[in-house]
Amino acid sequence: MLRRAVAGVAVLWGAVTLTFLAVALTGGNQVDSILGPDSATVPGLREQVAAQYGLDRPLVVQYLDRLGSLLTGDLGWSYQRNQPVTRLLADQVLPTLTLAASAAVVGAALAVLLAVATAGRGGLVRRVVSLLEALVVALPPFWLGIVLLSVFSFGLRWFPAFGADGVAGLVLPTVALALPIAGVLAQVARQELEVAEGRPFALSARARGLSERQLLLRHTLRHALLPVTTLSAWAVGALVGGAVLVEQVFSRPGLGRVLVEAVKHRDTPVVTAVVVLAALVFVVTSALADVLYPVIDARLRTEVR
């Protein structure tokens, strides 16, 4: 856990650094982005705003100030909204995390079901399922969201189209995010199941009279869940970023609208905060995956002396 904590700090530092550089090296003047096209009409306004937000200082000093503020838990001040970033994001974080978490659960469950149903099977069913998995992995979630909207909202009218709250409004964006993740996890889980079924412990279990279902539930499924757990930790972090795009498609509340406006106006503190949040989710879920490994596989509970 100590090594994981050190690695997590390195990930967060890298996320902050790359985000700062990406915004800083983008063409255009940041003060102009804050003030808009009418900034030249008021004499001295540009200089006043630059001094207020520290944008008149060298980039190295701005970067170090950003790191220092983040270390103390201060996410900074939004240039565009003129309010603390913490207050700005407070009402938007929960919808995004809810969408990401629901997509992770649905994606993992669907992957395990597909892997169990098709592991060890050949023929047409296996080829069709593998083709569909590869297809959904290759498709961007926001494109899937547009297709789902066209079919199930505009066509069949089963689900609300834009800006809906509640469970009904969560279904389509969850599916759009979950399908690509399920495609990746299903392929990995199926391969692990097939490898585990041919190992000596599986042959021994069959010799003791265990049925294939008992073998699956007691032994081989646990082996398949280890890599699925590892990839699920990565997937949750990726889903937070993916949720930002999907929220725009479905006009859902969340970090999506905030981030788009922040990037448009080069609101560095807001952009940095959203990226750090996604990186933090990845770090936390990775640490939880490490904790779950001994629970899933009893062999990892024994210390090697």
Side-chain angles (χ1 to χ4, degrees):
M1 294 304 296
L2 180 60
R3 289 194 298 269
R4 174 63 67 183
V6 173
V9 171
V11 169
L12 294 175
W13 171 76
V16 172
T17 302
L18 291 177
T19 304
F20 181 86
L21 291 176
V23 176
L25 298 179
T26 303
N29 187 282
Q30 192 163 359
V31 177
D32 293 336
S33 300
I34 297 171
L35 294 176
D38 300 329
S39 59
T41 59
V42 181
L45 180 60
R46 296 182 75 262
E47 292 76 11
Q48 179 182 351
V49 171
Q52 177 182 352
Y53 294 114
L55 300 176
D56 56 344
R57 291 176 292 180
L59 283 178
V60 175
V61 178
Q62 296 181 39
Y63 170 69
L64 294 177
D65 287 343
R66 180 76 58 216
L67 284 181
S69 298
L70 291 174
L71 287 175
T72 60
D74 181 11
L75 297 181
W77 191 271
S78 171
Y79 307 152
Q80 178 197 4
R81 302 292 185 90
N82 196 29
Q83 62 177 301
V85 175
T86 303
R87 183 190 306 168
L88 174 63
L89 300 185
D91 297 331
Q92 309 298 328
V93 169
L94 185 58
T96 298
L97 293 182
T98 300
L99 176 58
S102 62
V105 172
V106 171
L110 183 59
V112 172
L113 291 175
L114 285 174
V116 171
T118 58
R121 297 184 60 179
L124 181 61
V125 174
R126 173 66 175 270
R127 289 195 294 269
V128 170
V129 172
S130 298
L131 178 62
L132 291 176
E133 290 170 353
L135 180 62
V136 296
V137 169
L139 296 177
F142 69 87
W143 188 87
L144 284 174
I146 295 173
V147 173
L148 292 173
L149 273 175
S150 301
V151 175
F152 295 102
S153 292
F154 303 145
L156 299 176
R157 301 185 182 275
W158 288 356
F159 298 99
F162 299 113
D165 297 326
V167 177
L170 190 63
V171 172
L172 293 184
T174 295
V175 173
L177 284 172
L179 286 179
I181 297 299
V184 174
L185 297 181
Q187 294 174 9
V188 175
R190 184 186 304 108
Q191 181 179 357
E192 290 297 319
L193 279 175
E194 293 173 346
V195 170
E197 288 176 354
R199 288 178 177 172
F201 74 86
L203 300 176
S204 176
R206 291 190 183 97
R208 295 198 307 269
L210 264 67
S211 65
E212 291 298 322
R213 177 178 297 181
Q214 291 174 325
L215 175 63
L216 172 68
L217 296 177
R218 295 184 185 180
H219 300 286
T220 57
L221 186 58
R222 291 193 176 191
H223 286 264
L225 288 179
L226 286 176
V228 169
T229 302
T230 302
L231 287 177
S232 295
W234 156 80
V236 172
L239 284 171
V240 174
V244 169
L245 296 177
V246 172
E247 284 172 350
Q248 287 295 101
V249 174
F250 290 91
S251 298
R252 286 181 52 82
L255 298 178
R257 297 178 183 177
V258 174
L259 182 60
V260 169
E261 289 298 318
V263 172
K264 179 181 177 181
H265 295 279
R266 300 183 66 184
D267 198 344
T268 309
V270 176
V271 176
T272 303
V274 174
V275 173
V276 168
L277 175 63
L280 181 62
V281 170
F282 169 76
V283 170
V284 172
T285 52
S286 297
L288 290 176
D290 288 345
V291 174
L292 288 176
Y293 290 156
V295 177
I296 297 172
D297 192 342
R299 297 173 301 175
L300 299 178
R301 305 171 198 167
T302 304
E303 294 183 358
V304 179
R305 300 183 182 275

